[in-house]
Amino acid sequence: KNTMVNNSERLERSSRRLEDGYRMALETEEIGQNVLNNLAQDREKINSARNRLNNVDSSLTQSSRLLNNMYRRVIQNKVLMFVIGAIIVFIIILALYGMLK
């Protein structure tokens, strides 16, 4: 009888351990699923940020080209103004020289 009670208690303890282990496995699985879901959300955020960064980079490249073209035109206009000014001064000098002669 004693052996039967001991075996019964052992069986009960083993059953509780198995149930605890099963519960722990379920909790671990739930935690793992939550981690996977969080990682998936993080991946979406990273991909979205990467796409926005690529769009910003493209916009900055276009803006840089536009600014470089504008700067070149400013330099061209300054050179053109200098040349026109020099021509006007040269014509005035020729006119004064012609009047004095």
Side-chain angles (χ1 to χ4, degrees):
K1 205 174 188 186
N2 230 0
T3 308
M4 221 159 142
V5 171
N6 284 342
N7 285 341
S8 180
E9 287 175 358
R10 254 194 252 154
L11 186 60
E12 209 173 292
R13 281 193 306 264
S14 294
S15 292
R16 273 184 285 186
R17 282 186 197 146
L18 281 173
E19 287 173 6
D20 290 344
Y22 182 70
R23 208 174 305 118
M24 193 182 275
L26 289 177
E27 288 174 8
T28 303
E29 183 181 10
E30 184 180 346
I31 291 170
Q33 189 61 43
N34 288 337
V35 168
L36 287 175
N37 289 338
N38 289 341
L39 288 173
Q41 290 173 357
D42 290 347
R43 182 187 326 193
E44 289 176 21
K45 289 176 187 176
I46 289 170
N47 285 336
S48 176
R50 182 182 297 135
N51 289 337
R52 278 182 287 176
L53 183 62
N54 286 338
N55 289 339
V56 167
D57 183 50
S58 175
S59 295
L60 284 174
T61 300
Q62 288 176 339
S63 298
S64 177
R65 280 191 216 128
L66 180 62
L67 285 172
N68 284 337
N69 287 338
M70 289 172 69
Y71 181 72
R72 254 186 255 121
R73 286 182 184 157
V74 165
I75 297 298
Q76 287 173 348
N77 287 342
K78 284 184 179 183
V79 168
L80 184 62
M81 292 294 279
F82 178 77
V83 169
I84 290 173
I87 290 173
I88 290 173
V89 167
F90 182 71
I91 290 173
I92 291 174
I93 290 173
L94 281 179
L96 289 175
Y97 179 75
M99 287 173 49
L100 292 176
K101 217 174 177 191

XYZ file of all heavy atoms in Angstrom:
817
model
N 0.830 -1.196 0.000
C 0.000 0.000 0.000
C 0.872 1.257 0.000
O 0.560 2.219 -0.689
C -0.875 -0.055 1.250
C -2.130 0.713 1.121
C -2.977 0.481 2.342
C -4.311 1.091 2.152
N -5.144 1.045 3.291
N 1.895 1.264 0.790
C 2.829 2.386 0.888
C 3.493 2.664 -0.464
O 3.654 3.813 -0.872
C 3.890 2.060 1.932
C 4.053 3.175 2.929
O 3.367 4.171 2.827
N 4.918 2.979 3.876
N 3.870 1.598 -1.122
C 4.511 1.721 -2.418
C 3.548 2.326 -3.427
O 3.927 3.153 -4.251
C 4.975 0.333 -2.904
O 5.750 -0.266 -1.893
C 5.773 0.437 -4.154
N 2.294 1.915 -3.332
C 1.295 2.440 -4.239
C 1.075 3.934 -4.013
O 0.946 4.709 -4.959
C -0.020 1.699 -4.012
C -0.732 1.380 -5.243
S -1.801 0.057 -4.775
C -3.172 0.449 -5.687
N 1.053 4.352 -2.759
C 0.884 5.766 -2.422
C 2.094 6.545 -2.926
O 1.958 7.624 -3.512
C 0.685 5.940 -0.902
C 0.736 7.412 -0.510
C -0.605 5.311 -0.458
N 3.290 6.004 -2.704
C 4.512 6.662 -3.175
C 4.506 6.783 -4.700
O 4.854 7.827 -5.254
C 5.743 5.899 -2.712
C 6.057 6.123 -1.243
O 5.571 7.087 -0.651
N 6.839 5.246 -0.649
N 4.119 5.706 -5.344
C 4.064 5.730 -6.816
C 3.015 6.730 -7.283
O 3.222 7.445 -8.260
C 3.747 4.340 -7.354
C 4.939 3.424 -7.269
O 6.069 3.881 -7.152
N 4.696 2.122 -7.322
N 1.912 6.770 -6.595
C 0.844 7.706 -6.949
C 1.325 9.146 -6.768
O 1.082 10.016 -7.611
C -0.381 7.428 -6.085
O -1.414 8.315 -6.413
N 2.027 9.407 -5.659
C 2.560 10.765 -5.419
C 3.607 11.126 -6.457
O 3.651 12.258 -6.952
C 3.161 10.830 -4.012
C 2.134 10.846 -2.907
C 2.778 10.790 -1.519
O 4.025 10.705 -1.422
O 2.019 10.836 -0.537
N 4.459 10.175 -6.767
C 5.481 10.418 -7.791
C 4.814 10.721 -9.138
O 5.230 11.627 -9.859
C 6.378 9.195 -7.943
C 7.723 9.398 -7.345
C 8.690 8.335 -7.799
N 8.938 7.442 -6.678
C 9.299 6.192 -6.745
N 9.458 5.614 -7.912
N 9.514 5.486 -5.680
N 3.798 9.943 -9.447
C 3.082 10.148 -10.696
C 2.415 11.521 -10.719
O 2.436 12.229 -11.727
C 2.037 9.041 -10.881
C 1.288 9.019 -12.192
C 2.263 8.847 -13.355
C 0.273 7.886 -12.191
N 1.860 11.908 -9.592
C 1.229 13.230 -9.483
C 2.255 14.344 -9.657
O 2.029 15.326 -10.376
C 0.546 13.342 -8.118
C -0.652 14.252 -8.122
C -1.366 14.185 -6.791
O -1.943 13.129 -6.480
O -1.309 15.210 -6.084
N 3.398 14.215 -9.003
C 4.475 15.220 -9.130
C 4.963 15.287 -10.577
O 5.178 16.355 -11.128
C 5.636 14.889 -8.191
C 5.389 15.276 -6.752
C 6.676 15.229 -5.927
N 7.362 13.942 -6.002
C 7.252 12.955 -5.111
N 6.470 13.100 -4.056
N 7.920 11.825 -5.255
N 5.121 14.129 -11.177
C 5.576 14.098 -12.565
C 4.542 14.754 -13.477
O 4.890 15.496 -14.402
C 5.813 12.652 -13.018
O 6.876 12.080 -12.309
N 3.273 14.501 -13.204
C 2.216 15.120 -14.006
C 2.243 16.638 -13.855
O 2.099 17.376 -14.829
C 0.846 14.588 -13.580
O 0.704 13.235 -13.927
N 2.437 17.102 -12.610
C 2.516 18.564 -12.384
C 3.723 19.156 -13.104
O 3.634 20.230 -13.693
C 2.587 18.863 -10.891
C 1.203 18.980 -10.272
C 1.319 19.365 -8.849
N 1.752 18.122 -8.197
C 1.891 17.923 -6.918
N 1.673 18.881 -6.083
N 2.262 16.768 -6.428
N 4.832 18.450 -13.053
C 6.032 18.939 -13.745
C 5.780 19.010 -15.250
O 6.182 19.961 -15.918
C 7.221 18.031 -13.466
C 7.832 18.241 -12.122
C 9.096 17.415 -11.967
N 9.476 17.300 -10.578
C 10.043 16.247 -10.026
N 10.307 15.185 -10.768
N 10.357 16.241 -8.765
N 5.137 17.971 -15.782
C 4.821 17.975 -17.207
C 3.880 19.123 -17.555
O 4.061 19.808 -18.571
C 4.189 16.643 -17.618
C 5.148 15.484 -17.813
C 4.378 14.191 -18.049
C 6.093 15.760 -18.960
N 2.868 19.338 -16.727
C 1.944 20.445 -16.957
C 2.664 21.784 -16.870
O 2.442 22.679 -17.695
C 0.797 20.397 -15.948
C -0.200 19.300 -16.206
C -1.235 19.168 -15.088
O -1.236 20.014 -14.161
O -2.041 18.225 -15.156
N 3.538 21.926 -15.864
C 4.325 23.165 -15.751
C 5.225 23.346 -16.980
O 5.346 24.453 -17.513
C 5.176 23.140 -14.473
C 4.348 23.269 -13.209
O 3.167 23.682 -13.316
O 4.877 22.954 -12.115
N 5.853 22.269 -17.390
C 6.709 22.337 -18.581
C 5.914 22.703 -19.817
O 6.359 23.506 -20.640
N 4.710 22.111 -19.941
C 3.852 22.412 -21.085
C 3.420 23.876 -21.052
O 3.454 24.572 -22.072
C 2.631 21.490 -21.082
C 1.706 21.702 -22.254
C 2.089 21.345 -23.534
C 0.455 22.284 -22.063
C 1.238 21.545 -24.609
C -0.402 22.493 -23.130
C 0.000 22.124 -24.395
O -0.840 22.337 -25.459
N 3.027 24.363 -19.884
C 2.632 25.761 -19.727
C 3.801 26.686 -20.079
O 3.640 27.687 -20.770
C 2.177 25.989 -18.276
C 1.169 27.094 -18.151
C 0.585 27.236 -16.744
N -0.006 25.993 -16.242
C 0.425 25.328 -15.160
N 1.416 25.798 -14.446
N -0.151 24.214 -14.770
N 4.987 26.315 -19.600
C 6.180 27.121 -19.887
C 6.470 27.126 -21.392
O 6.828 28.165 -21.965
C 7.370 26.564 -19.115
C 8.567 27.480 -19.092
S 9.938 26.730 -18.204
C 9.532 27.185 -16.544
N 6.289 25.974 -22.033
C 6.512 25.894 -23.481
C 5.520 26.791 -24.217
O 5.883 27.480 -25.174
C 6.393 24.451 -23.952
N 4.261 26.804 -23.770
C 3.256 27.670 -24.397
C 3.596 29.139 -24.209
O 3.477 29.946 -25.140
C 1.865 27.374 -23.830
C 1.226 26.050 -24.242
C -0.119 25.864 -23.530
C 1.038 25.983 -25.752
N 4.031 29.499 -22.988
C 4.422 30.895 -22.735
C 5.615 31.281 -23.589
O 5.656 32.379 -24.158
C 4.753 31.072 -21.254
C 3.554 31.030 -20.338
C 3.949 31.067 -18.856
O 5.133 31.277 -18.546
O 3.046 30.885 -18.022
N 6.565 30.367 -23.697
C 7.751 30.635 -24.516
C 7.365 30.811 -25.979
O 7.871 31.703 -26.670
C 8.767 29.481 -24.371
O 9.100 29.334 -22.994
C 10.022 29.743 -25.169
N 6.449 29.985 -26.449
C 5.980 30.107 -27.824
C 5.278 31.442 -28.043
O 5.485 32.112 -29.058
C 5.020 28.955 -28.150
C 4.547 28.966 -29.586
C 3.582 27.822 -29.872
O 3.129 27.141 -28.936
O 3.264 27.644 -31.067
N 4.475 31.866 -27.080
C 3.782 33.147 -27.189
C 4.784 34.301 -27.217
O 4.660 35.225 -28.028
C 2.813 33.315 -26.010
C 1.976 34.567 -26.086
C 1.019 34.693 -24.897
O 0.830 33.702 -24.173
O 0.501 35.799 -24.705
N 5.767 34.227 -26.337
C 6.809 35.275 -26.312
C 7.546 35.298 -27.648
O 7.795 36.367 -28.224
C 7.772 35.049 -25.138
C 7.054 35.317 -23.812
C 9.006 35.933 -25.265
C 7.844 34.896 -22.580
N 7.894 34.111 -28.161
C 8.578 34.037 -29.453
C 7.742 34.631 -30.571
O 8.255 35.345 -31.442
N 6.436 34.357 -30.549
C 5.549 34.914 -31.572
C 5.490 36.429 -31.478
O 5.504 37.133 -32.486
C 4.141 34.312 -31.433
C 3.218 34.654 -32.567
C 3.719 34.138 -33.903
O 4.186 33.014 -34.006
N 3.644 34.969 -34.916
N 5.432 36.943 -30.244
C 5.437 38.402 -30.053
C 6.730 39.020 -30.571
O 6.711 40.079 -31.201
C 5.229 38.753 -28.581
C 3.820 38.488 -28.117
O 2.895 38.440 -28.912
N 3.650 38.290 -26.817
N 7.847 38.363 -30.302
C 9.141 38.866 -30.782
C 9.159 38.884 -32.308
O 9.592 39.865 -32.926
C 10.298 38.008 -30.214
C 11.598 38.309 -30.924
C 10.457 38.240 -28.721
N 8.663 37.807 -32.933
C 8.619 37.756 -34.398
C 7.729 38.855 -34.969
O 8.072 39.488 -35.972
C 8.130 36.387 -34.865
C 9.130 35.238 -34.714
C 8.480 33.918 -35.094
C 10.365 35.483 -35.555
N 6.595 39.093 -34.320
C 5.712 40.174 -34.781
C 6.392 41.531 -34.660
O 6.309 42.365 -35.566
C 4.402 40.171 -33.978
C 3.516 38.994 -34.321
O 3.640 38.413 -35.387
N 2.636 38.636 -33.409
N 7.083 41.755 -33.536
C 7.806 43.021 -33.352
C 8.901 43.184 -34.397
O 9.100 44.281 -34.942
C 8.406 43.100 -31.952
C 7.360 43.293 -30.878
O 6.247 43.716 -31.159
N 7.698 42.958 -29.643
N 9.600 42.095 -34.687
C 10.656 42.163 -35.706
C 10.075 42.472 -37.083
O 10.661 43.243 -37.852
C 11.441 40.848 -35.743
C 12.377 40.595 -34.561
C 12.965 39.192 -34.641
C 13.479 41.632 -34.506
N 8.922 41.895 -37.386
C 8.282 42.172 -38.681
C 7.885 43.646 -38.774
O 8.090 44.291 -39.808
C 7.063 41.267 -38.867
N 7.340 44.183 -37.689
C 6.974 45.607 -37.681
C 8.210 46.488 -37.824
O 8.197 47.478 -38.560
C 6.234 45.953 -36.394
C 4.849 45.365 -36.310
C 4.201 45.579 -34.948
O 4.818 46.121 -34.034
N 2.953 45.152 -34.808
N 9.280 46.111 -37.123
C 10.525 46.881 -37.227
C 11.075 46.842 -38.650
O 11.576 47.846 -39.156
C 11.570 46.351 -36.241
C 11.218 46.650 -34.794
O 10.303 47.481 -34.568
O 11.839 46.056 -33.887
N 10.981 45.670 -39.296
C 11.460 45.557 -40.674
C 10.665 46.482 -41.585
O 11.226 47.160 -42.449
C 11.336 44.120 -41.164
C 11.862 43.961 -42.584
C 11.613 42.613 -43.175
N 11.680 41.578 -42.168
C 11.735 40.297 -42.423
N 11.744 39.889 -43.669
N 11.761 39.412 -41.472
N 9.335 46.540 -41.393
C 8.511 47.437 -42.198
C 8.915 48.890 -41.979
O 9.008 49.668 -42.935
C 7.032 47.245 -41.846
C 6.444 45.944 -42.332
C 5.002 45.751 -41.884
O 4.333 46.752 -41.555
O 4.559 44.586 -41.858
N 9.168 49.248 -40.721
C 9.582 50.628 -40.424
C 10.917 50.943 -41.082
O 11.113 52.028 -41.646
C 9.686 50.835 -38.916
C 8.355 50.866 -38.210
C 8.537 50.988 -36.709
C 7.223 50.857 -35.971
N 7.401 50.880 -34.514
N 11.854 49.993 -41.002
C 13.182 50.211 -41.602
C 13.070 50.344 -43.113
O 13.693 51.228 -43.720
C 14.138 49.070 -41.204
C 14.503 49.201 -39.724
C 15.396 49.079 -42.057
C 15.246 48.006 -39.156
N 12.279 49.474 -43.739
C 12.106 49.561 -45.190
C 11.443 50.874 -45.594
O 11.819 51.494 -46.593
C 11.287 48.373 -45.708
C 12.092 47.091 -45.738
O 13.314 47.119 -45.808
N 11.411 45.964 -45.676
N 10.461 51.304 -44.811
C 9.803 52.582 -45.092
C 10.793 53.733 -44.957
O 10.834 54.634 -45.812
C 8.633 52.774 -44.127
O 8.043 54.027 -44.308
N 11.602 53.701 -43.911
C 12.615 54.754 -43.707
C 13.636 54.730 -44.846
O 14.059 55.791 -45.337
C 13.308 54.568 -42.366
N 14.019 53.527 -45.287
C 14.980 53.415 -46.385
C 14.400 54.007 -47.661
O 15.082 54.731 -48.398
C 15.355 51.954 -46.607
C 16.400 51.770 -47.717
C 16.728 50.312 -47.976
N 17.331 49.710 -46.810
C 17.003 48.516 -46.329
N 16.059 47.803 -46.911
N 17.616 48.033 -45.275
N 13.120 53.730 -47.923
C 12.478 54.295 -49.123
C 12.411 55.818 -49.053
O 12.673 56.503 -50.052
C 11.072 53.713 -49.288
C 11.103 52.254 -49.696
O 12.084 51.776 -50.245
N 10.032 51.541 -49.417
N 12.062 56.342 -47.875
C 12.029 57.803 -47.728
C 13.417 58.396 -47.920
O 13.587 59.442 -48.547
C 11.481 58.188 -46.364
C 9.959 58.170 -46.330
C 9.456 58.599 -44.998
N 9.751 57.464 -44.112
C 9.561 57.415 -42.829
N 9.068 58.431 -42.209
N 9.837 56.352 -42.123
N 14.433 57.716 -47.383
C 15.806 58.195 -47.529
C 16.223 58.203 -48.993
O 16.869 59.158 -49.457
C 16.751 57.321 -46.703
C 18.219 57.727 -46.691
C 18.377 59.119 -46.076
C 19.031 56.718 -45.907
N 15.845 57.170 -49.734
C 16.156 57.130 -51.165
C 15.458 58.269 -51.907
O 16.042 58.882 -52.799
C 15.749 55.777 -51.765
C 16.685 54.665 -51.356
O 17.826 54.894 -50.978
N 16.193 53.436 -51.413
N 14.215 58.551 -51.528
C 13.494 59.667 -52.159
C 14.165 60.999 -51.844
O 14.303 61.865 -52.722
C 12.038 59.696 -51.692
C 11.230 58.549 -52.257
O 11.598 57.948 -53.262
N 10.133 58.231 -51.604
N 14.579 61.178 -50.594
C 15.254 62.416 -50.204
C 16.581 62.542 -50.944
O 16.932 63.622 -51.435
C 15.473 62.452 -48.673
C 16.429 63.560 -48.286
C 14.145 62.619 -47.955
N 17.314 61.427 -51.070
C 18.593 61.452 -51.783
C 18.387 61.846 -53.238
O 19.132 62.660 -53.778
C 19.258 60.074 -51.685
C 20.623 60.055 -52.330
O 21.441 60.957 -52.014
O 20.888 59.153 -53.159
N 17.349 61.295 -53.850
C 17.042 61.636 -55.242
C 16.695 63.120 -55.371
O 17.169 63.803 -56.283
C 15.881 60.775 -55.734
O 15.498 61.150 -57.017
N 15.903 63.624 -54.433
C 15.528 65.045 -54.459
C 16.748 65.938 -54.257
O 16.891 66.969 -54.913
C 14.488 65.331 -53.377
O 13.297 64.645 -53.637
N 17.625 65.527 -53.338
C 18.834 66.321 -53.099
C 19.749 66.327 -54.323
O 20.357 67.351 -54.647
C 19.596 65.780 -51.895
C 18.998 66.113 -50.532
C 19.769 65.397 -49.425
C 18.998 67.602 -50.288
N 19.820 65.202 -55.016
C 20.640 65.144 -56.228
C 20.092 66.097 -57.282
O 20.841 66.849 -57.909
C 20.674 63.694 -56.768
O 21.228 62.844 -55.762
C 21.514 63.600 -58.022
N 18.772 66.080 -57.462
C 18.157 66.996 -58.431
C 18.373 68.450 -58.017
O 18.672 69.300 -58.857
C 16.662 66.706 -58.551
C 16.339 65.429 -59.268
C 14.846 65.144 -59.283
O 14.103 65.667 -58.463
N 14.412 64.304 -60.213
N 18.227 68.735 -56.734
C 18.423 70.103 -56.242
C 19.863 70.544 -56.449
O 20.121 71.689 -56.830
C 18.070 70.186 -54.758
O 16.718 69.875 -54.552
N 20.791 69.652 -56.206
C 22.205 69.978 -56.393
C 22.492 70.310 -57.853
O 23.188 71.287 -58.158
C 23.064 68.801 -55.935
O 24.416 69.060 -56.157
N 21.944 69.490 -58.771
C 22.138 69.782 -60.200
C 21.552 71.131 -60.578
O 22.161 71.914 -61.298
C 21.473 68.690 -61.039
C 22.285 67.449 -61.155
C 21.701 66.518 -62.224
N 21.874 65.158 -61.757
C 20.930 64.243 -61.680
N 19.710 64.518 -62.071
N 21.188 63.043 -61.227
N 20.357 71.410 -60.060
C 19.687 72.681 -60.357
C 20.514 73.853 -59.838
O 20.719 74.850 -60.552
C 18.288 72.695 -59.742
C 17.457 73.946 -59.964
C 17.195 74.153 -61.450
C 16.156 73.850 -59.189
N 21.010 73.731 -58.612
C 21.836 74.814 -58.051
C 23.131 74.997 -58.824
O 23.577 76.142 -59.050
C 22.141 74.533 -56.579
C 20.980 74.755 -55.614
C 21.352 74.268 -54.222
C 20.578 76.207 -55.576
N 23.747 73.908 -59.251
C 24.969 74.021 -60.058
C 24.688 74.717 -61.384
O 25.485 75.559 -61.827
C 25.579 72.634 -60.310
C 26.283 72.095 -59.085
O 26.701 72.845 -58.216
N 26.399 70.785 -59.012
N 23.572 74.378 -62.018
C 23.204 75.055 -63.269
C 22.944 76.538 -63.037
O 23.362 77.385 -63.840
C 21.971 74.395 -63.893
C 22.271 73.043 -64.500
O 23.416 72.751 -64.833
N 21.252 72.211 -64.626
N 22.252 76.857 -61.949
C 21.988 78.264 -61.632
C 23.300 79.014 -61.384
O 23.477 80.151 -61.855
C 21.076 78.359 -60.405
C 19.650 77.915 -60.671
S 18.654 77.805 -59.174
C 18.495 79.512 -58.741
N 24.234 78.392 -60.671
C 25.517 79.039 -60.393
C 26.281 79.287 -61.691
O 26.852 80.364 -61.892
C 26.338 78.152 -59.442
C 27.664 78.738 -59.079
C 27.752 79.836 -58.229
C 28.838 78.214 -59.598
C 28.964 80.393 -57.898
C 30.060 78.761 -59.275
C 30.122 79.848 -58.422
O 31.332 80.392 -58.108
N 26.268 78.292 -62.597
C 26.939 78.470 -63.888
C 26.337 79.636 -64.665
O 27.054 80.447 -65.269
C 26.824 77.192 -64.717
C 28.131 76.447 -64.765
C 28.087 75.251 -65.696
N 28.006 74.074 -64.841
C 27.053 73.175 -64.851
N 26.093 73.244 -65.735
N 27.039 72.176 -64.010
N 25.016 79.755 -64.631
C 24.360 80.862 -65.342
C 24.698 82.207 -64.719
O 24.859 83.207 -65.426
C 22.843 80.647 -65.348
C 22.437 79.559 -66.308
C 20.966 79.382 -66.361
N 20.628 78.257 -67.232
C 19.514 77.587 -67.156
N 18.600 77.921 -66.259
N 19.284 76.590 -67.976
N 24.811 82.254 -63.392
C 25.202 83.501 -62.724
C 26.599 83.901 -63.181
O 26.853 85.069 -63.511
C 25.135 83.332 -61.181
C 25.875 84.461 -60.479
C 23.690 83.275 -60.712
N 27.524 82.932 -63.211
C 28.896 83.229 -63.663
C 28.875 83.689 -65.124
O 29.546 84.677 -65.482
C 29.809 81.984 -63.503
C 29.932 81.594 -62.029
C 31.181 82.223 -64.108
C 30.567 82.636 -61.148
N 28.106 82.997 -65.966
C 28.017 83.395 -67.378
C 27.466 84.812 -67.506
O 27.967 85.614 -68.307
C 27.110 82.419 -68.148
C 27.721 81.065 -68.394
C 26.720 80.083 -69.001
O 25.516 80.344 -69.035
N 27.226 78.948 -69.461
N 26.438 85.125 -66.721
C 25.865 86.472 -66.778
C 26.859 87.525 -66.323
O 26.927 88.618 -66.908
C 24.593 86.544 -65.929
C 23.425 85.831 -66.579
O 23.444 85.566 -67.779
N 22.421 85.487 -65.784
N 27.636 87.236 -65.291
C 28.641 88.199 -64.828
C 29.701 88.432 -65.899
O 30.107 89.575 -66.150
C 29.300 87.716 -63.536
C 28.434 87.889 -62.315
C 29.176 87.479 -61.059
C 28.293 87.684 -59.834
N 29.003 87.364 -58.598
N 30.146 87.349 -66.528
C 31.157 87.488 -67.587
C 30.573 88.289 -68.747
O 31.235 89.189 -69.297
C 31.642 86.089 -68.055
C 32.464 86.192 -69.332
C 32.439 85.409 -66.955
N 29.324 87.981 -69.104
C 28.671 88.701 -70.202
C 28.535 90.184 -69.870
O 28.791 91.050 -70.725
C 27.290 88.078 -70.488
C 26.526 88.645 -71.673
C 27.305 88.425 -72.968
C 25.157 88.007 -71.757
N 28.146 90.501 -68.638
C 28.033 91.905 -68.222
C 29.393 92.603 -68.284
O 29.484 93.759 -68.707
C 27.461 91.986 -66.802
C 26.017 91.538 -66.692
S 24.903 92.623 -67.552
C 24.736 93.899 -66.358
N 30.432 91.907 -67.854
C 31.778 92.487 -67.907
C 32.188 92.766 -69.357
O 32.722 93.838 -69.671
C 32.780 91.547 -67.228
C 34.178 92.047 -67.274
C 34.603 93.058 -66.419
C 35.096 91.525 -68.177
C 35.902 93.536 -66.465
C 36.391 91.997 -68.223
C 36.806 93.003 -67.370
N 31.920 91.817 -70.249
C 32.270 91.985 -71.662
C 31.476 93.149 -72.265
O 32.033 94.000 -72.971
C 32.020 90.671 -72.445
C 32.118 90.891 -73.947
C 33.001 89.601 -71.999
N 30.169 93.203 -71.978
C 29.344 94.295 -72.505
C 29.831 95.637 -71.953
O 29.932 96.635 -72.692
C 27.853 94.056 -72.175
C 27.317 92.893 -72.999
C 27.027 95.311 -72.424
C 25.914 92.460 -72.628
N 30.155 95.663 -70.663
C 30.687 96.895 -70.062
C 31.988 97.307 -70.722
O 32.205 98.502 -71.011
N 32.860 96.331 -70.974
C 34.139 96.646 -71.627
C 33.906 97.176 -73.034
O 34.574 98.133 -73.470
C 35.030 95.402 -71.657
N 32.972 96.600 -73.751
C 32.662 97.058 -75.110
C 32.115 98.487 -75.061
O 32.504 99.345 -75.877
C 31.665 96.101 -75.801
C 32.353 94.770 -76.115
C 31.097 96.719 -77.079
C 31.410 93.698 -76.633
N 31.222 98.767 -74.117
C 30.664 100.124 -73.999
C 31.773 101.119 -73.678
O 31.834 102.212 -74.276
C 29.547 100.148 -72.936
C 28.319 99.385 -73.456
C 29.166 101.580 -72.560
C 27.213 99.207 -72.434
N 32.647 100.782 -72.752
C 33.760 101.684 -72.412
C 34.646 101.890 -73.637
O 35.082 103.019 -73.918
C 34.571 101.115 -71.212
C 35.888 101.849 -71.035
C 33.736 101.177 -69.939
N 34.919 100.819 -74.382
C 35.744 100.924 -75.584
C 35.079 101.839 -76.621
O 35.741 102.684 -77.236
C 35.989 99.520 -76.174
C 36.853 99.515 -77.380
C 38.212 99.779 -77.283
C 36.310 99.273 -78.641
C 39.016 99.782 -78.403
C 37.100 99.282 -79.758
C 38.463 99.525 -79.648
N 33.753 101.712 -76.793
C 33.030 102.558 -77.753
C 33.070 104.019 -77.299
O 33.260 104.934 -78.111
C 31.576 102.063 -77.931
C 31.576 100.734 -78.681
C 30.716 103.094 -78.657
C 30.213 100.067 -78.778
N 32.898 104.259 -76.006
C 32.961 105.640 -75.491
C 34.345 106.222 -75.727
O 34.484 107.387 -76.160
C 32.570 105.668 -73.990
C 31.079 105.357 -73.831
C 32.914 107.013 -73.361
C 30.617 105.215 -72.389
N 35.365 105.415 -75.474
C 36.736 105.907 -75.697
C 36.939 106.213 -77.176
O 37.532 107.250 -77.527
C 37.767 104.885 -75.175
C 37.730 104.843 -73.651
C 39.167 105.209 -75.672
C 38.591 103.754 -73.034
N 36.462 105.347 -78.068
C 36.585 105.605 -79.514
C 35.829 106.874 -79.912
O 36.309 107.674 -80.728
C 36.055 104.410 -80.326
C 36.984 103.213 -80.453
C 36.305 102.104 -81.254
C 38.290 103.607 -81.119
N 34.629 107.053 -79.332
C 33.833 108.239 -79.660
C 34.553 109.499 -79.180
O 34.613 110.505 -79.896
C 32.447 108.124 -79.017
N 35.089 109.468 -77.952
C 35.837 110.629 -77.443
C 37.083 110.896 -78.278
O 37.410 112.056 -78.579
C 36.203 110.408 -75.972
C 35.067 110.467 -74.964
C 35.570 110.104 -73.583
C 34.449 111.851 -74.965
N 37.759 109.837 -78.679
C 38.953 109.990 -79.497
C 38.583 110.595 -80.859
O 39.271 111.464 -81.375
C 39.632 108.607 -79.664
C 40.864 108.672 -80.513
C 42.056 109.203 -80.010
C 40.860 108.187 -81.838
C 43.174 109.255 -80.789
C 41.984 108.236 -82.608
C 43.146 108.766 -82.096
O 44.280 108.813 -82.873
N 37.447 110.141 -81.395
C 36.984 110.668 -82.697
C 36.573 112.124 -82.574
O 36.764 112.919 -83.499
N 35.994 112.530 -81.436
C 35.569 113.913 -81.261
C 36.779 114.833 -81.053
O 36.765 115.974 -81.470
C 34.631 114.025 -80.064
C 33.252 113.442 -80.359
S 32.154 113.354 -78.950
C 32.206 114.919 -78.213
N 37.798 114.326 -80.430
C 38.977 115.149 -80.156
C 39.852 115.291 -81.392
O 40.647 116.229 -81.476
C 39.783 114.553 -79.008
C 39.133 114.603 -77.631
C 39.990 113.887 -76.613
C 38.904 116.039 -77.191
N 39.710 114.449 -82.339
C 40.557 114.490 -83.515
C 40.129 115.493 -84.490
O 39.503 116.218 -84.863
C 40.536 113.121 -84.155
C 41.837 112.773 -84.702
C 41.775 111.366 -85.186
C 43.062 110.998 -85.813
N 43.112 109.850 -86.514
